[in-house]
Amino acid sequence: MSELVPGGNLPLPGGVLTVRVPGPFDVCALVSDDGGKVGGDADFVFYNQPTAPGAALRGDTLRLEPDRLRAGATRVTVVVSAAEPGTPLARLPAATLHVTDPHGRLLARFTPPSPRRETVLLLAEVYRRGPVWKLRALGQGYADGLAGLARDFGVDVVDDTPAGGGGPTGPSGSASSPGARPSGHLLPSAPAGSSPTPFADSDGFLALVNSARASAGSPPVALDARLASAARAHAAAMAAAGRLGSEGPDGVSLYQRVTAAGYAYLAVGEHLVSGPRTPAEFVDHCLRHDRAGRTLRDRAFSHAALARATDARGGTTYWTALWAGPLTADGLARTTAEVIGLTNRERSRAGLRPLAVDPPLTTAAQAHCADMVARAFYAHTSPEGTQPWDRAAAAGSTRRTIGENIACGQRSAAEVVEGWMNSPGHRANILKPAFTHIGVGYAGGGPSGTYWTQLFGA
């Protein structure tokens, strides 16, 4: 059984899974595609609509059979709110997720950090990665209710309550929101003293960005709801602190917000800026600075989001732009192969034989990257004391000599290998004549954004 932390994930077995959240909660689920968008009414599973292809809700228990979801569905997001509408989750016991396999064995448990003003919580998601279904812990809270949450998943919820009326409203368009109440824009729970404002394409951001990308020969990016959620939360955190920074006063990094929102990335970029008054001014600011302009035009990115929040005390506006390319099996394989190729180029220059790829070392290296992200540490020794050779042996390696390089924060294979070669200790591992095999891992998230591992063996 796995105790998950925000951003942690694990593969799931085939068959029917049982997802349960005991306590005074309403459980619902949203079925969506890779872009985080629902396809219609049937993609909401809640107390008034308890079944959908591959999903059935009864009380506090959701039964999922991922392979029987509707065509095009790649994700099921599990959402909880208070059974008594409008009640902050902080007033209730912890919402703990329990996931069991088809035989009733407990696979995973997840208890998110204690909420504050949130009334809705994205607790976890079941998602497809290639042929495998996986579970990811989220823990993303919202203060504005299920109507706002529905909008973030691509539903247009209209406040048609007459003046002075107090009844609930329903959505228009592609789906109906369970228990939605008129609540304006979706706002991730924001610290006191800030006023977050979400932006849609109607603000012109996407058109301006894609025009600049087209002039550089880069493909267009699309707005992504998960990135928007993370950007709004981070802009609000900066406004609350009254300063720019990749980590908010709550100790949560921008990258942790992205992975907690459910976006697993291979490439990531960000712009944290204060001062511009409009999205057009923000884009112009980026294009006038060489490094920011390169990020905006980077071909590695396919999704983007923009958000701002104003410090209610001083009136300063803080902006967060996020750029990302999704993590895919093929993309990860290309990235790690590039690291190995650059490593072997350095060995060739030194007159050494190239290293051969070793599957057990690769498994151990990838697991260590994922562990550093999930548990927010950066070290050769894990929190429980395991060392590189322990991880290699656990992955099935029979290599007698083990060496390890790790790095964090670098945004490309070229950058990370260059950094290792400029460090005497890491360079010594890369150019050690006795090493014959290598495994490389990469994971996005955590406090530093990117984590890399090279595991050498002989």
Side-chain angles (χ1 to χ4, degrees), residues 49-68:
Q49 183 173 273
T51 62
L57 177 67
R58 183 173 182 179
D60 62 6
T61 302
L62 178 70
R63 289 173 58 83
L64 290 176
E65 194 166 359
D67 289 333
R68 295 188 60 194

Side-chain angles (χ1 to χ4, degrees), residues 21-32:
V21 185
F25 306 107
D26 279 337
V27 179
C28 65
L30 298 107
V31 180
S32 61

Side-chain angles (χ1 to χ4, degrees), residues 57-306:
L57 177 67
R58 183 173 182 179
D60 62 6
T61 302
L62 178 70
R63 289 173 58 83
L64 290 176
E65 194 166 359
D67 289 333
R68 295 188 60 194
L69 295 173
R70 65 160 175 85
T74 58
R75 174 176 286 110
V76 179
T77 305
V78 180
V79 181
V80 295
S81 58
E84 183 66 28
T87 302
L89 294 172
R91 298 182 187 173
L92 303 178
T96 298
L97 180 85
H98 301 78
V99 181
T100 56
D101 69 9
H103 304 288
R105 292 188 293 258
L106 185 62
L107 291 171
R109 186 166 52 209
F110 171 57
T111 303
S114 299
R116 291 175 293 178
R117 297 188 300 114
E118 293 93 331
T119 58
V120 175
L121 193 65
L122 272 66
L123 199 55
E125 66 178 2
V126 173
Y127 67 100
R128 188 170 63 203
R129 183 68 68 220
V132 178
W133 287 91
K134 304 181 77 174
L135 172 73
R136 179 185 291 116
L138 299 178
Q140 176 70 46
Y142 296 89
D144 284 354
L146 287 167
L149 174 65
R151 288 191 185 92
D152 213 27
F153 277 78
V155 181
D156 183 17
V157 182
V158 178
D159 180 1
D160 57 7
T161 305
T169 69
S172 65
S174 62
S176 58
S177 177
R181 285 168 172 74
S183 58
H185 293 290
L186 168 67
L187 302 178
S189 182
S194 63
S195 176
T197 305
F199 282 90
D201 191 27
S202 59
D203 296 282
F205 169 68
L206 196 62
L208 291 167
V209 165
N210 282 334
S211 175
R213 290 176 64 87
S215 67
S218 297
V221 292
L223 294 177
D224 184 271
R226 296 159 295 176
L227 295 181
S229 170
R232 285 192 291 266
H234 196 72
M238 291 193 299
R243 59 176 174 80
L244 297 171
S246 62
E247 184 176 291
D250 53 3
V252 179
S253 77
L254 174 61
Y255 319 109
Q256 288 170 307
R257 299 187 201 281
V258 172
T259 54
Y263 193 107
Y265 58 81
L266 183 64
V268 68
E270 70 283 338
H271 293 131
L272 307 177
V273 177
S274 62
R277 294 167 296 177
T278 66
E281 288 186 7
F282 177 87
V283 173
D284 180 65
H285 170 89
C286 293
L287 294 175
R288 284 188 286 105
H289 293 79
D290 183 61
R291 183 174 180 181
R294 288 199 306 271
T295 298
L296 186 149
R297 300 183 181 96
D298 196 321
R299 296 181 61 86
F301 302 135
S302 55
H303 296 109
L306 178 68

